[in-house]
Amino acid sequence: MSTAKKTGADALAEKGWFGSHKWLVLRRISQLVTLGLFLVGPLAGLWIVKGNLAYSLTLNTLPLADPYVLLQSLLAGHIPEKMALIGVAIVLAFYFLVGGRVYCSWVCPVNMVTDAAAWLRGRFGIKGGAHISRKLRYWVLGMTLAVAAITGTIAWELINPVSMLHRGLIFGIGMTWAIVLAVFLLDLFVSANAWCGHVCPVGAFYSLLGKWSPLRVSAAKREACNDCMDCYAVCPEPQVIKPALKGAKQNIGPAILSPNCTNCGRCIDVCSKDVFRFGLRSAR
Amino acid sequence: MNDTNGKKPGVGQATRRQFLIDMVKTACTVGLMGAGLGLYAKQAKALPPLAIRPPGALLEADFQGACIRCGLCVRDCPYNILELAKPEHSVATGTPYFVARNIPCEMCEDIPCVKACPTGALDHQLTDINKSKMGLAVLVDHETCLNFLGLRCDVCYRVCPVIDKAITLEPIHNVRTGKHTMFLPTVHSDYCTGCGKCEKSCVLEEAAIKVFPIKLAKGKLGEHYRLGWEEKTHAGKSLVAPEIEHQYTLPEGYKYEQGRGLIPGSSGESVAPGTQPGIPKALQGDKP
């Protein structure tokens, strides 16, 4: 019913451009700063951060390690050295607190690629496409762990577009662009939010990691909702909104509890009634 | 649950059937993906012979379960020797390697690449770079190696960081000329670290000496093989009883010395005790 109107038009009119793009801008800054910190080393010789998202060393002291890669390594039969273990502990604690999929929307470089595809899909009015189950990613996650255990290698890292893109940007891209292009085209033509919302096991892993994380988007002023549907239209995981937004009658709290929510905050931006805000999962 | 098509909840049988069908569909798809990935991972375990892992790298099969492709070894290598494999390379994506002919390992004494590795894919037990086994140099081509052609190239020997241990020059008679000596570069696996300096500096268009993975480069004796001369030293005496002294059949008036050959004009003292000088031993019959 809202086909005539552009998604976010109401918010734009009500709150102005910055007001209706605040979290988007902050998120892009976060993504670019994260990437930039990795890049100033190789590009300008300023070694603040060494490595990539799999493992990095900041200022030669702070280790950060990707728990999903380390889990695969563990299943492949290797026990890592101390530095990697400390790095994993820090990262686990961080994402456990702020929401696992904050990794997806605030850090992961593929997010900018798939967001671009989603934006173009809207722009060109590309609709429909293949039906892919949103549970597929958990199957893929299980599969990657099983293959790691069976082959004794971190097999998924051979083809993982997420780490490939990040590593490629920092250490030399080679043919990685072709794989990233494939992800982009998948999202643009095959199915909306296909990669991040349906297939990617990295996202699935971080979903599980953030299953009980306290920081959540909350539909705090849900009684003000005017059913404009803009939040559903803009959300990469729209199925997570409904229980929180429409759950008042069933006595469901206003916090979005689904771990698939990426805490990207686009719903906050796009709502002209300021229904959403960041809050705690215990919000009432 | 949220994305399945909106079947009417009344027909439980049909929804359950659909659920099971969807589940089997997904399982098959993912199973197929997994099989493909597994096969690819198996292929990727085969490291190309010319790609060399950094010092201390675990055996290839273990390495690919341990290396998380962070590139810290690449960053801490002061000579920028290492590279992370790009997807189009035939080395497992994202893992570090170098190609000796392009740029060999400089064998830093403090081994910064190993220290940088957060997982131990480069084994932290390696603290003496001379003990590293990145591969093994092999003089693969006896037909083009200049020293085999009788020249004194010696470059591989000269550049070897473990000179006179990992590579020695072994003098051998040049049968072609009949009067010269060939100095054959000979690699000793106990000392060769596989750094690749010899391969890099080989003056030929295609190196005659190359670093190969140890598995490709080394032969292996049967477990039951014993080297008589070593066993003898070990036991302090001959294990074959009784020890038979070697007897030479010599022309009259000659003596023979190991390494010197026939020496003319010599007399009795050179001949083994208990034999008559001038008469070949074979003709002397049994010793008393």
Side-chain angles (χ1 to χ4, degrees):
Chain A
M1 33 181 88
S2 60
T3 39
K5 171 186 77 101
K6 223 176 124 217
T7 304
D10 292 350
L12 187 65
E14 199 78 28
K15 308 196 281 189
W17 190 89
F18 187 74
S20 61
H21 292 84
K22 188 173 93 184
W23 291 105
L24 181 64
V25 169
L26 286 174
R27 212 153 55 76
R28 291 286 176 258
I29 290 172
S30 161
Q31 289 164 339
L32 292 172
V33 165
T34 310
L35 192 57
L37 283 172
F38 281 99
L39 280 173
V40 288
L43 294 184
L46 195 61
W47 293 103
I48 302 167
V49 183
K50 264 193 275 188
N52 57 41
L53 286 178
Y55 174 86
S56 65
L57 199 56
T58 304
L59 297 171
N60 270 324
T61 39
L62 174 73
L64 297 171
D66 185 313
Y68 174 47
V69 178
L70 263 293
L71 176 61
Q72 290 173 77
S73 176
L74 208 60
L75 288 170
H78 181 78
I79 311 232
E81 295 280 335
K82 192 177 70 196
M83 285 300 265
L85 292 174
I86 298 170
V88 161
I90 296 170
V91 170
L92 281 175
F94 176 76
Y95 286 112
F96 178 81
L97 288 175
V98 300
R101 291 203 71 197
V102 161
Y103 174 86
C104 300
S105 59
W106 291 77
V107 176
C108 179
V110 174
N111 178 269
M112 284 186 273
V113 176
T114 55
D115 269 6
W119 182 77
L120 284 173
R121 238 181 120 81
R123 207 61 211 270
F124 297 145
I126 303 168
K127 291 245 158 22
H131 170 80
I132 308 171
S133 165
R134 282 196 184 266
K135 281 186 198 152
L136 178 67
R137 51 187 147 183
Y138 294 104
W139 287 80
V140 176
L141 172 63
M143 177 272 283
T144 60
L145 297 179
V147 172
I150 292 164
T151 63
T153 68
I154 310 177
W156 178 246
E157 288 306 295
L158 293 169
I159 56 167
N160 182 1
V162 175
S163 48
M164 263 179 169
L165 176 58
H166 195 255
R167 194 191 310 119
L169 290 169
I170 297 162
F171 288 89
I173 194 95
M175 286 296 286
T176 302
W177 63 267
I179 290 150
V180 177
L181 180 69
V183 169
F184 175 77
L185 294 176
L186 175 81
D187 269 35
L188 185 60
F189 295 118
V190 179
S191 184
N193 301 309
W195 181 259
C196 301
H198 298 76
V199 183
C200 180
V202 183
F205 176 86
Y206 279 97
S207 282
L208 296 177
L209 172 54
K211 196 153 170 49
W212 295 280
S213 59
L215 182 69
R216 308 270 43 166
V217 173
S218 167
K221 279 164 56 185
R222 53 187 171 184
E223 64 284 352
C225 173
N226 63 356
D227 295 331
C228 75
M229 305 296 280
D230 277 0
C231 56
Y232 289 98
V234 87
C235 179
E237 305 274 351
Q239 78 283 0
V240 307
I241 297 176
K242 199 180 166 194
L245 185 61
K246 298 293 165 193
K249 283 191 204 93
Q250 292 103 303
N251 204 25
I252 298 170
I256 294 175
L257 296 180
S258 166
N260 289 333
C261 170
T262 68
N263 278 4
C264 73
R266 277 300 277 147
C267 54
I268 307 175
D269 279 345
V270 90
C271 180
S272 62
K273 301 290 172 197
D274 280 334
V275 166
F276 299 96
R277 62 176 180 79
F278 277 110
L280 294 176
R281 68 182 298 119
S282 55
R284 285 269 83 183
Chain B
M1 59 182 86
N2 307 296
D3 47 276
T4 41
N5 32 22
K7 280 256 158 62
K8 278 164 249 158
V11 269
Q13 198 80 35
T15 42
R16 182 187 297 167
R17 167 177 285 200
Q18 190 58 44
F19 174 76
L20 285 172
I21 288 171
D22 282 350
M23 186 118 143
V24 170
K25 256 188 345 202
T26 316
C28 288
T29 313
V30 174
L32 213 60
M33 280 169 73
L37 180 62
L39 286 174
Y40 179 45
K42 202 160 165 271
Q43 298 280 318
K45 272 191 201 174
L47 186 69
L50 292 185
I52 306 176
R53 294 292 187 202
L58 303 175
L59 291 175
E60 190 59 16
D62 299 329
F63 185 79
Q64 291 199 23
C67 173
I68 56 173
R69 299 123 210 254
C70 67
L72 273 257
C73 53
V74 175
R75 290 298 182 228
D76 281 11
C77 172
Y79 299 96
N80 279 323
I81 285 156
L82 298 170
E83 183 181 7
L84 293 185
K86 301 193 172 82
E88 68 271 27
H89 295 167
S90 45
V91 176
T93 312
T95 54
Y97 74 102
F98 67 97
V99 175
R101 190 64 168 166
N102 299 339
I103 182 165
C105 174
E106 293 288 339
M107 288 177 55
C108 310
E109 278 183 16
D110 53 344
I111 333 181
C113 51
V114 171
K115 280 188 188 152
C117 179
T119 64
L122 306 181
D123 194 345
H124 289 208
Q125 308 266 305
L126 179 75
T127 48
D128 177 1
I129 188 66
N130 288 316
K131 296 227 169 77
S132 67
K133 294 270 171 254
M134 293 172 265
L136 180 60
V138 183
L139 208 155
V140 275
D141 196 351
H142 294 188
E143 293 172 336
T144 55
C145 170
L146 296 182
N147 277 35
F148 269 79
L149 295 177
L151 279 73
R152 288 301 301 271
C153 164
D154 298 1
V155 170
C156 55
Y157 164 75
R158 294 280 164 210
V159 298
C160 177
V162 203
I163 184 168
D164 282 328
K165 285 181 178 164
I167 303 185
T168 55
L169 292 176
E170 300 296 327
I172 190 169
H173 178 57
N174 187 338
V175 178
R176 183 176 56 81
T177 66
K179 53 191 167 190
H180 297 106
T181 302
M182 298 190 294
F183 291 83
L184 304 186
T186 307
V187 180
H188 303 278
S189 60
D190 281 351
Y191 294 102
C192 176
T193 63
C195 71
K197 286 243 159 176
C198 51
E199 181 179 345
K200 167 68 181 173
S201 56
C202 177
V203 300
L204 303 184
E205 280 187 25
E206 182 72 44
I209 189 164
K210 290 188 168 104
V211 175
F212 287 139
I214 288 171
K215 209 174 74 179
L216 288 185
K218 277 296 282 179
K220 188 169 184 260
L221 289 172
E223 295 285 351
H224 62 289
Y225 279 37
R226 296 290 179 270
L227 304 175
W229 54 94
E230 280 184 6
E231 297 297 320
K232 186 177 165 184
T233 336
H234 193 67
K237 61 176 169 74
S238 174
L239 299 175
V240 185
E243 186 172 11
I244 301 159
E245 199 178 323
H246 193 87
Q247 301 187 343
Y248 301 100
T249 307
L250 300 172
E252 213 165 318
Y254 281 83
K255 67 168 184 170
Y256 180 82
E257 237 177 71
Q258 182 86 40
R260 286 180 66 197
L262 281 176
I263 301 158
S266 58
S267 54
E269 73 267 20
S270 68
V271 186
T275 53
Q276 301 165 37
I279 303 169
K281 278 183 191 168
L283 303 176
Q284 289 182 25
D286 289 333
K287 278 188 241 175

